Amino acid sequence: MVAIGVLALQGDFAEHVAVFEHLGANTREVRSPSDLEQLSGLIIPGGESTTISALLERWELTAPIISLARGGMPVWGTCAGLILMARSIGSDTTPRLGLLDADVLRNGYGRQRDSFEAEVAIPAIGAPTFRAIFIRAPIIQRVGPETKVLASLEDGTPVAVQQGNLLGSSFHPELTADTRFHAYMLRIVAAHRKARHVAPV
Ligand code: GLN
């Protein structure tokens, strides 16, 4: 059975699973390399990036995920997941997937804005604006030429980006009742499967 994988080592993976199930997609919690077989896409959830990084290494998941993503499998990282997907996180040496051409700074919004919510326009999912929840979120400082900004704060700071099959958001769509961002991920997955001539999810 084809399924969307949700990395389930630490963090708020259960919330992602619930949203995808609500949208009618099959999901599979990923904890070991064999869980990656036949997946149509993968979510790297929010949580604590250093912990998730250590567990990715311990369960030998880093290399197979990198290889699947390079082969075109859609991967979406939220918050800590975005940190793990970014190519550069400043002087921080936490081992990560390093897939997405973007520089991010952990906890980059600082203490005053530790956690906050903002209405953001996301043209890719359509109107109305999306209520974005930020929890000790990474700040996206630079995006590469191939990386498209899907949403920004009013001051221009990018908060959701896409580089082909790779999606990153510094906020947590899985913590709202709005399922449009997850539906967007499902569309990326469907387009990828269509391009490969395989059955829809
Ligand atoms: N601040 C966390 C980290 O650095 C990320 C927080 C989150 O995922 N909500 O990993």
Side-chain angles (χ1 to χ4, degrees), residues 45-50 78-81 83 106-107 134-138 170 172:
E48 194 54 47
S49 54
T50 48
T78 56
C79 204
I83 295 168
R106 288 184 66 201
N107 304 319
F134 297 81
I135 304 168
R136 298 200 308 117
S170 47
H172 288 270

